[in-house]
Amino acid sequence: MKKILITGGAGFIGSHVVRRFVTRYPDCAIYNLDKLTYAGNLENLHDVEQCSNYHFVKGDIQDFDFISSLFEKHRFDGVVHLAAESHVDRSISNPLEFVMTNVVGTVNLLNAARKLWLNPESPMPQARFYHISTDEVYGSLGSEGIFTETTKYDPHSPYSASKASSDHFVRAYHDTYGFPVVISNCSNNYGSFHFPEKLIPLAIHNIKNKKPIPVYGKGENIRDWLFVEDHASAIDLIFHKGKNGETYNIGGNNEWKNIDLIRLLCRIMDRKLGRKEGESEQLITFVKDRAGHDLRYAIDSSKLQNELGWKPSLRLEEGLEKTVEWYLGNEAWLEHVTSGQYQKYYDAQYTQR
Ligand code: NAD
Ligand code: TYD
């Protein structure tokens, strides 16, 4: 049975990837390795945790000895690496944790996989290391232009600097050791199981509770939004059909100014909550801008579309409706992640196994 290691599978995007792989590939054993930081929550995977091909391993990619023994024990055939510290604002207040997990953790995984896969006595030539990255490594655009796979790296935040660094290490292992890698750089995701510190889930949570919606600066910054299940489908395709040594951009062609996005969200929430039109917009509060705030991201995913045949399924307007419905229907999840109660779920499900 083929064994695939997915790191960060208890997080937002990782949980969608784990669910997709566990259900679509019943003949593969899927190992979810996650430290369960504040952003990792096993409740995200309650619907697949009983599947016989799903395995959870609690662990930290910063710990090389642990990672190395895990690779020796399971001899993984492939790695889909998502584990990371992912929030720009947190990277501004604590950059070192981003270096430790995003850079050192990635190099630990590369070293453990290299030791196993490139061992001359028992090489594993079909193996593949897939690194999931972000479009933020390309820096910030003005009103014109779009990121392609050949855009020069120009990260500005500690988060994007750490992701750029890990991308460079992954490429360096390919070029130096002939190590089998593929990388993708994706735009901003949204959808279910998104921790309510990022713009969209935070705004949904605050609107629901009639709390202020903090909009940084004048809300003029532009992001290119992709529904998380479309990212998971792209990851599946790239992992199985992408070419080693290549990079693929992933994005939905859905550029929105933050303030326009928030106004749209307010209208959807007013309708779904039976509030008067315009009521939620009153909660918009302009706050101090983020330091080094990138103005605009926009991604050209034509390589992925033309070479591998990927297409996003939802535009932001449709995806946002679905996302709001999910949050309104999953109040317990929101309550657990905001109160830290998901640790209790972990203890109940896993510690006595
Ligand atoms: P997330 O913060 O929701 O989840 C990260 C997961 O990694 C969590 O489950 C956490 O517990 C785990 N983790 C953190 N440190 C770890 C460590 N040291 N060892 C093991 N596990 C650890 O993040 P996300 O939004 O799901 O992002 C997943 C990946 O996709 C990241 O690599 C991120 O850079 C990339 N990405 C995210 C977006 C986005 O819009 N969210 C866009 C493009 C790329
Ligand atoms: P975020 O969801 O943190 O993703 P990223 O910084 O990786 O793009 O932020 C999306 C945009 O929304 C970004 O321009 C910053 C802005 N923002 C706010 O205006 N208010 C908020 O409370 C947050 C979290 C973000």
PDB file of all heavy atoms in Angstrom, residues 43 56 64 102 112 114 131 134 164 213-214 244-245 264 302 348:
ATOM      1  N   GLU A  43     -10.998  18.363  14.971  1.00  0.00           N
ATOM      2  CA  GLU A  43     -12.434  18.386  14.652  1.00  0.00           C
ATOM      3  C   GLU A  43     -12.651  18.639  13.163  1.00  0.00           C
ATOM      4  O   GLU A  43     -13.688  18.282  12.619  1.00  0.00           O
ATOM      5  CB  GLU A  43     -13.107  19.532  15.419  1.00  0.00           C
ATOM      6  CG  GLU A  43     -13.661  19.132  16.764  1.00  0.00           C
ATOM      7  CD  GLU A  43     -14.335  20.319  17.434  1.00  0.00           C
ATOM      8  OE1 GLU A  43     -13.622  21.119  18.057  1.00  0.00           O
ATOM      9  OE2 GLU A  43     -15.558  20.430  17.315  1.00  0.00           O
ATOM     10  N   PHE A  56      -3.394   9.487  12.133  1.00  0.00           N
ATOM     11  CA  PHE A  56      -2.937  10.775  12.657  1.00  0.00           C
ATOM     12  C   PHE A  56      -1.667  10.572  13.496  1.00  0.00           C
ATOM     13  O   PHE A  56      -1.588   9.648  14.309  1.00  0.00           O
ATOM     14  CB  PHE A  56      -4.024  11.431  13.518  1.00  0.00           C
ATOM     15  CG  PHE A  56      -3.521  12.675  14.182  1.00  0.00           C
ATOM     16  CD1 PHE A  56      -3.214  13.798  13.419  1.00  0.00           C
ATOM     17  CD2 PHE A  56      -3.294  12.722  15.557  1.00  0.00           C
ATOM     18  CE1 PHE A  56      -2.700  14.948  14.010  1.00  0.00           C
ATOM     19  CE2 PHE A  56      -2.790  13.868  16.156  1.00  0.00           C
ATOM     20  CZ  PHE A  56      -2.492  14.982  15.378  1.00  0.00           C
ATOM     21  N   PHE A  64      14.035  17.144  14.259  1.00  0.00           N
ATOM     22  CA  PHE A  64      14.574  16.290  13.190  1.00  0.00           C
ATOM     23  C   PHE A  64      14.608  14.806  13.577  1.00  0.00           C
ATOM     24  O   PHE A  64      14.264  13.941  12.774  1.00  0.00           O
ATOM     25  CB  PHE A  64      15.979  16.735  12.750  1.00  0.00           C
ATOM     26  CG  PHE A  64      16.533  15.809  11.705  1.00  0.00           C
ATOM     27  CD1 PHE A  64      16.015  15.816  10.407  1.00  0.00           C
ATOM     28  CD2 PHE A  64      17.521  14.886  12.022  1.00  0.00           C
ATOM     29  CE1 PHE A  64      16.488  14.928   9.443  1.00  0.00           C
ATOM     30  CE2 PHE A  64      17.994  13.996  11.057  1.00  0.00           C
ATOM     31  CZ  PHE A  64      17.469  14.024   9.772  1.00  0.00           C
ATOM     32  N   ASN A 102       8.666  27.150   9.362  1.00  0.00           N
ATOM     33  CA  ASN A 102       8.557  27.215   7.902  1.00  0.00           C
ATOM     34  C   ASN A 102       9.884  26.924   7.215  1.00  0.00           C
ATOM     35  O   ASN A 102       9.894  26.306   6.144  1.00  0.00           O
ATOM     36  CB  ASN A 102       8.017  28.582   7.470  1.00  0.00           C
ATOM     37  CG  ASN A 102       6.634  28.855   8.044  1.00  0.00           C
ATOM     38  OD1 ASN A 102       6.094  28.042   8.802  1.00  0.00           O
ATOM     39  ND2 ASN A 102       6.037  29.979   7.702  1.00  0.00           N
ATOM     40  N   ALA A 112      15.133  14.328   5.962  1.00  0.00           N
ATOM     41  CA  ALA A 112      14.649  12.983   6.307  1.00  0.00           C
ATOM     42  C   ALA A 112      14.234  12.234   5.037  1.00  0.00           C
ATOM     43  O   ALA A 112      14.543  11.044   4.878  1.00  0.00           O
ATOM     44  CB  ALA A 112      13.475  13.093   7.280  1.00  0.00           C
ATOM     45  N   ARG A 114      15.280  12.855   1.943  1.00  0.00           N
ATOM     46  CA  ARG A 114      16.456  12.631   1.092  1.00  0.00           C
ATOM     47  C   ARG A 114      17.229  11.397   1.569  1.00  0.00           C
ATOM     48  O   ARG A 114      17.651  10.556   0.768  1.00  0.00           O
ATOM     49  CB  ARG A 114      17.364  13.860   1.136  1.00  0.00           C
ATOM     50  CG  ARG A 114      18.611  13.734   0.273  1.00  0.00           C
ATOM     51  CD  ARG A 114      19.255  15.090   0.074  1.00  0.00           C
ATOM     52  NE  ARG A 114      19.933  15.578   1.247  1.00  0.00           N
ATOM     53  CZ  ARG A 114      21.248  15.433   1.496  1.00  0.00           C
ATOM     54  NH1 ARG A 114      22.017  14.814   0.631  1.00  0.00           N
ATOM     55  NH2 ARG A 114      21.770  15.933   2.587  1.00  0.00           N
ATOM     56  N   HIS A 131       5.834  20.763  -2.084  1.00  0.00           N
ATOM     57  CA  HIS A 131       5.835  21.884  -1.136  1.00  0.00           C
ATOM     58  C   HIS A 131       4.738  22.877  -1.510  1.00  0.00           C
ATOM     59  O   HIS A 131       4.712  23.402  -2.622  1.00  0.00           O
ATOM     60  CB  HIS A 131       7.201  22.573  -1.179  1.00  0.00           C
ATOM     61  CG  HIS A 131       7.329  23.728  -0.232  1.00  0.00           C
ATOM     62  ND1 HIS A 131       7.100  23.615   1.119  1.00  0.00           N
ATOM     63  CD2 HIS A 131       7.656  25.019  -0.445  1.00  0.00           C
ATOM     64  CE1 HIS A 131       7.291  24.788   1.695  1.00  0.00           C
ATOM     65  NE2 HIS A 131       7.622  25.657   0.769  1.00  0.00           N
ATOM     66  N   THR A 134       2.931  30.023  -1.250  1.00  0.00           N
ATOM     67  CA  THR A 134       2.002  31.144  -1.377  1.00  0.00           C
ATOM     68  C   THR A 134       2.451  32.110  -2.472  1.00  0.00           C
ATOM     69  O   THR A 134       3.645  32.203  -2.769  1.00  0.00           O
ATOM     70  CB  THR A 134       1.936  31.899  -0.027  1.00  0.00           C
ATOM     71  OG1 THR A 134       1.331  33.175  -0.227  1.00  0.00           O
ATOM     72  CG2 THR A 134       3.321  32.159   0.560  1.00  0.00           C
ATOM     73  N   ALA A 164       9.358  32.090   1.204  1.00  0.00           N
ATOM     74  CA  ALA A 164      10.283  32.220   0.069  1.00  0.00           C
ATOM     75  C   ALA A 164      11.543  31.412   0.361  1.00  0.00           C
ATOM     76  O   ALA A 164      12.051  30.682  -0.500  1.00  0.00           O
ATOM     77  CB  ALA A 164      10.631  33.693  -0.148  1.00  0.00           C
ATOM     78  N   ILE A 213     -15.848  45.206  12.651  1.00  0.00           N
ATOM     79  CA  ILE A 213     -15.057  44.487  11.635  1.00  0.00           C
ATOM     80  C   ILE A 213     -13.826  45.349  11.365  1.00  0.00           C
ATOM     81  O   ILE A 213     -13.941  46.419  10.761  1.00  0.00           O
ATOM     82  CB  ILE A 213     -15.830  44.328  10.308  1.00  0.00           C
ATOM     83  CG1 ILE A 213     -17.252  43.837  10.541  1.00  0.00           C
ATOM     84  CG2 ILE A 213     -15.069  43.434   9.339  1.00  0.00           C
ATOM     85  CD1 ILE A 213     -18.178  44.051   9.345  1.00  0.00           C
ATOM     86  N   PRO A 214     -12.634  44.904  11.808  1.00  0.00           N
ATOM     87  CA  PRO A 214     -11.438  45.745  11.610  1.00  0.00           C
ATOM     88  C   PRO A 214     -10.966  45.691  10.161  1.00  0.00           C
ATOM     89  O   PRO A 214     -10.636  44.626   9.647  1.00  0.00           O
ATOM     90  CB  PRO A 214     -10.399  45.111  12.544  1.00  0.00           C
ATOM     91  CG  PRO A 214     -10.851  43.709  12.758  1.00  0.00           C
ATOM     92  CD  PRO A 214     -12.319  43.634  12.486  1.00  0.00           C
ATOM     93  N   ASN A 244       8.392  16.949 -11.942  1.00  0.00           N
ATOM     94  CA  ASN A 244       9.418  17.262 -10.946  1.00  0.00           C
ATOM     95  C   ASN A 244      10.240  18.471 -11.368  1.00  0.00           C
ATOM     96  O   ASN A 244      10.534  18.652 -12.549  1.00  0.00           O
ATOM     97  CB  ASN A 244      10.354  16.066 -10.751  1.00  0.00           C
ATOM     98  CG  ASN A 244       9.725  15.018  -9.855  1.00  0.00           C
ATOM     99  OD1 ASN A 244       8.758  15.306  -9.143  1.00  0.00           O
ATOM    100  ND2 ASN A 244      10.248  13.805  -9.892  1.00  0.00           N
ATOM    101  N   GLY A 245      10.579  19.293 -10.386  1.00  0.00           N
ATOM    102  CA  GLY A 245      11.395  20.481 -10.647  1.00  0.00           C
ATOM    103  C   GLY A 245      10.564  21.678 -11.078  1.00  0.00           C
ATOM    104  O   GLY A 245      11.096  22.784 -11.213  1.00  0.00           O
ATOM    105  N   LEU A 264     -19.651  43.159   0.490  1.00  0.00           N
ATOM    106  CA  LEU A 264     -20.401  42.023  -0.069  1.00  0.00           C
ATOM    107  C   LEU A 264     -20.760  41.044   1.052  1.00  0.00           C
ATOM    108  O   LEU A 264     -21.910  40.577   1.154  1.00  0.00           O
ATOM    109  CB  LEU A 264     -19.545  41.329  -1.150  1.00  0.00           C
ATOM    110  CG  LEU A 264     -20.063  39.995  -1.665  1.00  0.00           C
ATOM    111  CD1 LEU A 264     -21.401  40.158  -2.397  1.00  0.00           C
ATOM    112  CD2 LEU A 264     -19.039  39.339  -2.617  1.00  0.00           C
ATOM    113  N   SER A 302      -2.393  30.169 -15.660  1.00  0.00           N
ATOM    114  CA  SER A 302      -2.639  29.543 -16.972  1.00  0.00           C
ATOM    115  C   SER A 302      -1.758  28.316 -17.213  1.00  0.00           C
ATOM    116  O   SER A 302      -2.171  27.390 -17.907  1.00  0.00           O
ATOM    117  CB  SER A 302      -2.501  30.563 -18.108  1.00  0.00           C
ATOM    118  OG  SER A 302      -1.284  31.226 -18.010  1.00  0.00           O
ATOM    119  N   ALA A 348      -9.746  13.664  24.174  1.00  0.00           N
ATOM    120  CA  ALA A 348     -10.771  12.631  24.224  1.00  0.00           C
ATOM    121  C   ALA A 348     -10.579  11.605  23.105  1.00  0.00           C
ATOM    122  O   ALA A 348     -10.749  10.404  23.314  1.00  0.00           O
ATOM    123  CB  ALA A 348     -12.147  13.276  24.102  1.00  0.00           C
TER     124      ALA A 348
END
